[in-house]
């Protein structure tokens, strides 16, 4: 059982933090909200980097924080694995040494071997972080955070710096990790598809408060899906040909050319951000993967 009920106010900030979460162990939670909503603050409070002014954090009957009883376990006493966007590996240690360093002294080394296999790290065990790609580093960082089999795994946008292909592969690894070890996981992500794929519950945060805890389909379909296509795109260039105005748009990693009204065409320039919507909803869908 997870029971979080904390209040906090940062000096010089208008945001009052008030997080209330009742949840179950072994679940994969997505933490979702606008920039500045308080997602990282939630993870920092759970791991003990920020001490809230009031409230309690109880994880599986263990009190990690209780302001009235003056209990505040330091981060190293809270059983937590963490991975952030920047790959915090020890640069002077090989992959193998990075993993071994994380293994608690009395723990069986078998878990290391399992993780090396699951995360396909065998071929890079003797390499140093500097020689690894972003995706490889994050695979090692994920494996390292799981070596000690923590009670909570806290992931703050761990895949945000990776390209789309690598991101999808790492999502598969994350999924396998969760299936294998069933660690209670909190993942911050802005990627709705990622949340759908990985998370059982979405913890929605807005202005320092938890506003909903729902399944991805309940949450996102209520919030986002309006039965029409809507994309955010970057304008790459606008070509004026006679009375035609052709705009090249970058949508995700795809470039799409569209003809627009001259009135609109004259107002657009490269680097503008636009929203593209279509009224008719008759998409042609081809399975590609
Ligand atoms: N140490 C701090 N001191 C003062 N204010 C802070 C501190 N940490 C966070 N805040 C404020 O709390 C609010 C929430 O910040 P937080 O980083 O948790 O947002 P976030 O949802 O993770 O945003 P992003 O998606 O951009 O990373 C912001 O208004 C931020 O300025």
């Amino acid at each position: 059982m997870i029971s979080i009920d904390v209040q906090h106010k940062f000096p010089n900030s208008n945001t009052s933090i008030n997080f209330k979460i009742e949840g179950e162990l072994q679940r994969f939670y997505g933490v979702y909200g606008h920039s500045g909503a308080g997602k990282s603050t939630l993870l920092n409070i759970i791991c003990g980097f920020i001490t809230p002014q009031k409230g309690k954090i109880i994880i599986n009957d263990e009190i990690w924080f209780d302001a009235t009883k003056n209990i505040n376990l330091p981060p190293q006493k809270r059983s937590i694995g963490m991975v952030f966007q920047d790959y915090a590996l020890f640069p002077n240690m090989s992959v193998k040494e990075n993993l071994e360093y994380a293994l608690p002294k009395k723990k069986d080394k078998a878990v290391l071997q399992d993780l090396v296999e699951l995360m396909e790290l065998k071929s890079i065990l003797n390499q140093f972080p500097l020689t690894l790609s972003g995706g490889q580093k994050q695979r090692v960082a994920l494996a390292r955070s799981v070596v000690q089999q923590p009670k909570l795994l806290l992931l703050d946008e761990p895949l945000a710096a990776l390209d789309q292909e690598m991101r999808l592969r790492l999502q598969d690894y994350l999924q396998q990790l969760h299936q294998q070890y069933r660690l209670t996981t909190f993942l911050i992500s802005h990627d709705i598809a990622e949340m759908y794929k990985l998370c059982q519950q979405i913890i929605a945060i807005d202005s320092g408060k938890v506003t909903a805890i729902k399944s991805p389909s309940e949450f996102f379909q209520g919030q986002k899906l309006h039965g029409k296509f809507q994309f955010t795109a970057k304008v790459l260039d606008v070509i004026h040909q006679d009375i035609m105005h052709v705009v090249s748009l970058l949508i995700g990693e795809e470039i799409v050319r569209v003809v627009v009204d001259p009135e609109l065409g004259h107002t657009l320039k490269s680097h503008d951000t636009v929203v593209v919507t279509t009224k008719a909803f008759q998409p042609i869908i081809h399975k590609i993967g």
Side-chain angles (χ1 to χ4, degrees):
M1 176 81 182
I2 297 167
S3 177
I4 298 170
D5 183 0
V6 290
Q7 294 88 49
H8 189 66
K9 180 104 177 65
F10 291 115
N12 310 321
S13 168
N14 295 328
T15 314
S16 295
I17 300 293
N18 187 351
F19 294 132
K20 263 191 195 172
I21 298 168
E22 297 290 327
E24 285 168 40
L25 294 170
Q26 300 196 338
R27 294 219 149 189
F28 203 124
Y29 292 96
V31 182
Y32 186 79
H34 298 296
S35 185
K39 303 178 296 294
S40 299
T41 303
L42 171 66
L43 298 204
N44 283 328
I45 286 177
I46 293 174
C47 74
F49 289 163
I50 293 177
T51 304
Q53 281 138 358
K54 290 188 192 161
K56 282 183 197 174
I57 300 174
I58 302 169
I59 308 293
N60 199 16
D61 293 333
E62 193 175 83
I63 303 175
W64 286 8
F65 175 74
D66 187 336
T68 50
K69 291 188 184 147
N70 242 342
I71 298 173
N72 185 16
L73 293 193
Q76 65 276 17
K77 292 261 169 74
R78 302 181 187 200
S79 172
I80 279 175
M82 281 182 280
V83 181
F84 300 107
Q85 192 176 325
D86 49 351
Y87 332 101
L89 299 173
F90 296 118
N92 54 337
M93 290 185 189
S94 67
V95 168
K96 188 163 177 259
E97 287 162 346
N98 263 282
L99 294 174
E100 283 173 351
Y101 187 82
L103 187 75
K105 288 215 165 52
K106 286 179 198 149
K107 279 246 169 152
D108 189 352
K109 275 200 171 184
V111 66
L112 264 186
Q113 273 141 28
D114 286 348
L115 275 165
V116 166
E117 213 161 287
L118 185 78
M119 303 296 279
E120 298 181 285
L121 299 174
K122 200 163 178 203
S123 63
I124 56 166
L125 274 180
N126 294 320
Q127 283 183 233
F128 284 80
L130 204 63
T131 67
L132 302 176
S133 72
Q136 287 173 323
K137 282 185 213 168
Q138 239 15 6
R139 250 155 69 205
V140 178
L142 281 169
R144 196 181 62 170
S145 67
V146 173
V147 164
Q148 41 189 314
Q149 305 205 17
K151 289 213 175 81
L152 296 188
L153 185 58
L154 305 181
L155 308 174
D156 194 343
E157 301 202 61
L159 313 184
L162 307 176
D163 67 30
Q164 188 61 6
E165 198 186 330
M166 190 51 74
R167 193 171 179 136
L168 292 175
R169 281 190 57 204
L170 266 280
Q171 287 169 4
D172 292 339
Y173 283 115
L174 262 175
Q175 210 166 30
Q176 286 166 29
L177 268 184
H178 191 253
Q179 275 159 10
Q180 174 82 11
Y181 296 101
R182 295 272 161 218
L183 299 179
T184 309
T185 304
F186 286 76
L187 166 73
I188 296 180
S189 172
H190 289 101
D191 183 333
I192 295 177
E194 189 164 289
M195 295 268 182
Y196 256 86
K197 181 168 168 181
L198 295 172
C199 304
Q200 290 153 319
Q201 297 266 280
I202 301 297
I203 300 173
I205 308 250
D206 191 16
S207 307
K209 319 267 180 304
V210 175
T211 53
I213 303 181
K214 290 182 175 169
S215 72
S217 57
E218 270 181 304
F219 178 69
F220 290 115
Q221 291 189 20
Q223 295 271 309
K224 293 264 176 193
L225 304 181
H226 308 295
K228 67 179 180 187
F229 277 128
Q230 181 164 317
F231 308 102
T232 305
K234 275 259 174 249
V235 175
L236 296 178
D237 64 20
V238 186
I239 297 170
H240 309 282
Q241 292 171 337
D242 304 327
I243 52 159
M244 293 243 293
H245 295 254
V246 182
V247 184
S248 300
L249 297 171
L250 182 66
I251 302 175
E253 295 191 353
E254 303 287 334
I255 297 174
V256 177
R257 281 203 179 84
V258 285
V259 177
V260 299
D261 221 55
E263 213 177 305
L264 174 66
H266 280 301
T267 67
L268 293 177
K269 55 184 182 324
S270 63
H271 299 299
D272 281 350
T273 303
V274 294
V275 174
V276 184
T277 54
T278 61
K279 284 185 199 140
F281 190 76
Q282 275 189 318
I284 300 162
I285 297 177
H286 293 285
K287 185 173 171 182
I288 54 164

